[in-house]
Amino acid sequence: MCWIFAYKWDKEASPFLLEWLKNLEYRGYDSAGICEINKAGEFYIEKAVWKVSNLATKVENSDKELEWYNTWIAHTRWATHGKVTMENTHPHYSKNERFFIVHNGIIENYIELKKELEDRGYTFYGETDTEIVAKLIEDMFETDIETTIKKVFRRITWAYALGVIDRQEPDTLIWVKIWSPLVLGLAEWEYFLSSDANALARFAKTYINLDDWEMVVIKGNTHKIISLDSGLSLDKQIEDITYSEDNYALWDFSHFMEKEIFQVPEIIDNFIKWRIDFETLEIKSNTLEELAAKDFKRIEIIASWTSYNAGMTASYLFEELASIPTTVYVSTEFKYKKKFINTDTLYIFISQSGETADSLESLKVVKNKWGFTFWIVNVVGSSIARLSDLGLYTHSGREVWVAATKSFIGQIWVLLIMALYLGNKKDLEYTKYKEILACMQKLKDNVSLVLLESQKIQKVAKKYAHYKDMFFLWRNIQYPMAMEWSLKCKEITYNHTEAYSAGELKHGPLSLIEPSFPTLLINPEGRFTDKNVSTLKEIKARDGLVIWLITKWDKNKDLYDDVIEIPHTIEELSIFPVSVALQLFAYYAARELDREIDKPRNLAKSVTVE
Ligand code: M6R
């Protein structure tokens, strides 16, 4: 699914580009490949299954000298069409080995194109849709590569970013962007194209965000961006890239996931500094002021998994604090569902990456019907942020590897602030508003205490990591927490976990309870404590094992098997310490099982295909 490209002119390409490819590995790590050409049109292609480090070893052991090549295309793959094999690894090439391409996205009409090409005598070495485009370029070639690609893109339907090199024009590089993300990084004498600006940070100082139906042509040391609709050259805005070495360093942590969980107190601290004035009890945000003035009567939230779970949490917050009825959809379903878009409804799109194809497509549908769209995104300048009407960044810092942790905290923080702000403009009692703000001031310490006790959580996680199945249960605002941490455990431990509202257990899932099927019951102090004790007793009556996640005051100590304790805070804020405790639980369970925590099997961080 994912790729990068580097292009250098009048200077030598160098092995640092492999280092760069590692920066993009989070977008797919099923296999990786590079193709390089020099000014004489001589080429070097290398591919490897699985990690970029496998590719790097092959490159190091080859007798080719990377310094010698000037033009590069490279790719890390998350398999869509065809198994994880060398044949299916990008770059792909034409029959005459003249055209080389890399591709992010899906060619929807590839079967039809393949049939046409087969009828004309082409054969295929692999199963990918990308190889078909390489052969189509050869088949449709006319005059030069730029003219050819302008014709070819009309034949292939839609959702891709595609990079092409032609050995007969070794100083030319062409990219086309339709729906899949693409940015052009600019440095002195160098061009970089990449699926996102994150990966460019070490190498380019500025970048241009490309929009759909645009084509980049780099010839020698000049570039132009052309609209594929009008054929005209475009003058696009150049933006700065911010780079911090800290984002790339693991420090003393074993995994990036661990580092990112331990960054949560710092993130909370930043949020507080930027947004809340505790003297005046004011939330400072021009964006929220503009939003409140619109007085929306309903909210619909659209997002995928972790971001969807943040949306589910927000539905409780918007309804309880701001009295606005809220519905939440997974974007994969929303996209194809009949829509009743109206001007009284606020449509919120939540996404860490800001590039998730399902959410992006849903956003476009709402915009086409004139719905008012609001983004909550982590990656600055990403597509969802650029396309929506208004929005807020979660400012959680660079989160690269698969499991969303600190970005989830950032999302629920922003959503809480929104609910409080809108509630305060409506009918939220001022004493409640003040109470929540006062507790928010202590939230950093509260979450830090959870981290300080991480060894206790590790002990429990080590024990339960060895159970293949597990339930996560809770009621009300903690229910999405159970969903989120069930997802986290699935992703990185590969154990089977299910999340339910605790009240639903007796309606069916209780039949699975037995000594080998434990339950994690989330029960911080609040309105639902007694009801949760009843659920706990129902499970114990059937010899089920229970981990009890509680605040320290708990009086039911003899009822459960193991405990994870968190410091007390009010009900609306308990989602923060609970999140961090369960992130640690999932992390330590995966560590006990010796999983590839930052790169779990079959997954990629940013899912830019439907
Ligand atoms: O970038 P997004 O927030 O839009 O991504 C949505 C999901 O793909 C993402 O949350 C995914 O489920 C993560 N792997 C969760 O840890």
Side-chain angles (χ1 to χ4, degrees):
M1 178 172 68
C2 315
W3 41 265
I4 62 163
F5 151 73
Y7 178 71
K8 301 185 68 145
W9 182 247
D10 284 351
K11 270 172 85 182
E12 293 169 334
S14 63
F16 84 85
L17 293 169
L18 272 173
E19 198 49 45
W20 182 34
L21 196 54
K22 283 185 193 154
N23 282 339
L24 257 196
E25 203 173 17
Y26 65 92
R27 299 187 66 106
Y29 35 82
D30 288 341
S31 58
I34 53 170
C35 176
E36 306 160 18
I37 54 171
N38 63 15
K39 289 177 195 170
E42 291 162 313
F43 75 101
Y44 167 48
I45 187 163
E46 196 70 84
K47 302 179 181 194
V49 166
W50 304 124
K51 294 184 191 164
V52 172
S53 53
N54 295 351
L55 175 68
T57 310
K58 280 187 156 182
V59 171
E60 273 154 29
N61 295 337
S62 107
D63 54 3
K64 300 278 179 181
E65 286 177 28
L66 279 179
E67 281 77 7
W68 199 54
Y69 298 91
N70 306 90
T71 305
W72 248 63
I73 48 175
H75 189 272
T76 61
R77 179 168 186 245
W78 180 76
T80 57
H81 293 60
K83 290 208 165 91
V84 179
T85 60
M86 288 288 280
E87 290 75 23
N88 292 335
T89 300
H90 298 221
H92 288 290
Y93 45 89
S94 57
K95 193 168 75 179
N96 57 10
E97 296 189 354
R98 172 173 168 181
F99 307 102
F100 294 83
I101 74 170
V102 286
H103 160 222
N104 173 26
I106 289 177
I107 309 294
E108 286 175 358
N109 60 339
Y110 81 101
I111 294 180
E112 170 197 325
L113 293 172
K114 186 173 184 186
K115 172 88 185 42
E116 261 181 49
L117 289 166
E118 276 170 345
D119 290 347
R120 287 205 283 280
Y122 286 88
T123 54
F124 298 88
Y125 52 77
E127 304 151 280
T128 65
D129 48 351
T130 312
E131 185 191 340
I132 287 152
V133 180
K135 283 170 181 159
L136 192 65
I137 293 170
E138 177 176 346
D139 192 63
M140 292 179 70
F141 186 79
E142 199 178 85
T143 330
D144 57 51
I145 189 66
E146 184 179 333
T147 314
T148 306
I149 296 301
K150 282 179 182 160
K151 272 172 51 196
V152 168
F153 103 90
R154 295 191 185 281
R155 293 292 328 275
I156 48 183
T157 52
W158 308 120
Y160 52 82
L162 201 79
V164 187
I165 48 182
D166 173 3
R167 284 173 61 204
Q168 301 288 319
E169 294 179 57
D171 67 339
T172 303
L173 213 126
I174 309 258
W175 285 79
V176 174
K177 177 202 176 325
I178 300 173
W179 293 358
S180 297
L182 184 65
V183 297
L184 169 64
L186 308 165
E188 209 184 350
W189 303 111
E190 292 161 296
Y191 291 103
F192 301 88
L193 280 119
S194 165
S195 303
D196 67 42
N198 257 334
L200 295 178
R202 271 180 173 173
F203 310 101
K205 292 199 167 46
T206 53
Y207 73 102
I208 295 171
N209 245 317
L210 296 162
D211 290 304
D212 291 338
W213 310 100
E214 289 180 355
M215 180 180 191
V216 186
V217 181
I218 299 170
K219 265 186 207 284
N221 56 4
T222 61
H223 75 276
K224 60 180 176 182
I225 299 171
I226 303 167
S227 158
L228 288 165
D229 278 335
S230 64
L232 297 175
S233 280
L234 303 168
D235 193 12
K236 306 258 314 178
Q237 192 183 338
I238 298 178
E239 301 183 45
D240 289 336
I241 297 181
T242 45
Y243 170 67
S244 155
E245 191 61 45
D246 278 355
N247 286 333
Y248 296 84
L250 195 50
W251 300 337
D252 287 337
F253 294 102
S254 305
H255 299 90
F256 279 96
M257 181 178 178
E258 186 186 24
K259 175 186 167 189
E260 286 163 6
I261 299 170
F262 276 81
Q263 284 177 322
V264 168
E266 178 193 320
I267 291 166
I268 290 182
D269 204 31
N270 284 338
F271 288 146
I272 286 177
K273 280 188 202 140
W274 291 339
R275 295 261 179 243
I276 304 175
D277 182 336
F278 286 105
E279 302 253 303
T280 58
L281 290 182
E282 241 187 307
I283 295 171
K284 298 171 288 183
S285 168
N286 296 339
T287 303
L288 291 179
E289 195 179 329
E290 195 179 332
L291 187 67
K294 295 189 181 292
D295 195 23
F296 287 108
K297 302 288 181 264
R298 289 193 59 83
I299 293 177
E300 293 195 8
I301 300 178
I302 299 105
S304 281
W305 275 123
T306 290
S307 300
Y308 167 81
N309 292 337
M312 283 293 290
T313 313
S315 69
Y316 291 93
L317 295 169
F318 285 134
E319 290 182 353
E320 289 284 338
L321 303 178
S323 304
I324 308 177
T326 303
T327 316
V328 193
Y329 299 96
V330 280
S331 37
T332 36
E333 290 300 321
F334 180 84
K335 211 172 27 176
Y336 297 112
K337 175 181 172 298
K338 184 166 177 177
K339 313 275 178 319
F340 302 91
I341 307 295
N342 67 65
T343 49
D344 275 356
T345 303
L346 170 64
Y347 297 88
I348 300 179
F349 292 82
I350 309 174
S351 174
Q352 188 286 130
S353 61
E355 300 293 352
T356 300
D358 299 306
S359 303
L360 191 57
E361 288 315 300
S362 302
L363 168 69
K364 288 177 186 168
V365 171
V366 174
K367 276 198 78 90
N368 283 341
K369 295 182 179 245
W370 308 107
F372 189 87
T373 55
F374 191 95
W375 50 269
I376 295 176
V377 158
N378 193 35
V379 177
V380 175
S382 50
S383 302
I384 290 180
R386 286 186 296 128
L387 281 182
S388 312
D389 296 305
L390 200 61
L392 289 170
Y393 284 115
T394 52
H395 292 297
S396 308
R398 185 179 190 252
E399 186 186 70
V400 175
W401 297 107
V402 167
T405 52
K406 60 178 183 174
S407 65
F408 177 71
I409 304 283
Q411 290 169 342
I412 55 179
W413 178 274
V414 168
L415 290 157
L416 170 68
I417 290 280
M418 279 177 80
L420 272 175
Y421 191 96
L422 297 177
N424 191 37
K425 297 276 171 199
K426 293 176 81 182
D427 52 6
L428 176 63
E429 278 178 29
Y430 195 61
T431 45
K432 183 76 192 165
Y433 173 80
K434 264 182 11 189
E435 183 198 13
I436 297 178
L437 281 185
C439 291
M440 282 166 99
Q441 205 168 3
K442 296 185 204 132
L443 205 53
K444 180 188 171 194
D445 295 341
N446 182 295
V447 164
S448 301
L449 283 174
V450 178
L451 295 171
L452 271 176
E453 306 244 309
S454 62
Q455 282 181 350
K456 290 188 187 162
I457 299 175
Q458 183 170 17
K459 201 167 155 215
V460 181
K462 272 179 143 185
K463 173 174 165 189
Y464 287 90
H466 299 283
Y467 289 87
K468 284 306 286 174
D469 305 284
M470 194 160 166
F471 280 147
F472 286 64
L473 304 180
W474 172 251
R475 291 172 164 82
N476 202 259
I477 194 168
Q478 299 287 357
Y479 169 49
M481 296 296 123
M483 287 164 38
E484 172 57 9
W485 305 119
S486 160
L487 168 72
K488 214 94 307 178
C489 282
K490 280 191 195 93
E491 281 184 299
I492 59 169
T493 66
Y494 316 152
N495 285 346
H496 168 234
T497 58
E498 296 284 350
Y500 290 105
S501 161
E504 287 295 301
L505 192 67
K506 57 187 179 299
H507 294 293
L510 194 58
S511 63
L512 290 171
I513 292 293
E514 55 178 17
S516 63
F517 200 127
T519 300
L520 193 149
L521 196 49
I522 309 172
N523 190 27
E525 188 181 348
R527 282 175 294 164
F528 300 96
T529 303
D530 293 341
K531 289 197 186 310
N532 284 322
V533 171
S534 304
T535 307
L536 168 67
K537 287 181 177 164
E538 283 162 19
I539 299 169
K540 291 311 299 173
R542 281 138 187 110
D543 295 327
L545 287 173
V546 175
I547 314 171
W548 194 228
L549 193 151
I550 44 151
T551 35
K552 292 206 167 168
W553 62 274
D554 185 69
K555 54 185 186 280
N556 300 292
K557 286 207 183 301
D558 48 345
L559 289 179
Y560 43 80
D561 300 280
D562 286 283
V563 66
I564 295 175
E565 289 183 323
I566 54 165
H568 171 71
T569 182
I570 54 171
E571 204 172 294
E572 293 81 357
L573 300 189
S574 60
I575 48 179
F576 292 92
V578 165
S579 292
V580 173
L582 292 180
Q583 285 172 359
L584 286 172
F585 179 89
Y587 170 71
Y588 288 126
R591 205 160 129 170
E592 170 68 8
L593 296 169
D594 208 16
R595 302 294 189 227
E596 278 256 26
I597 295 178
D598 287 334
K599 294 180 214 172
R601 69 184 180 204
N602 304 339
L603 301 179
K605 180 68 171 172
S606 185
V607 184
T608 52
V609 291
E610 279 192 49

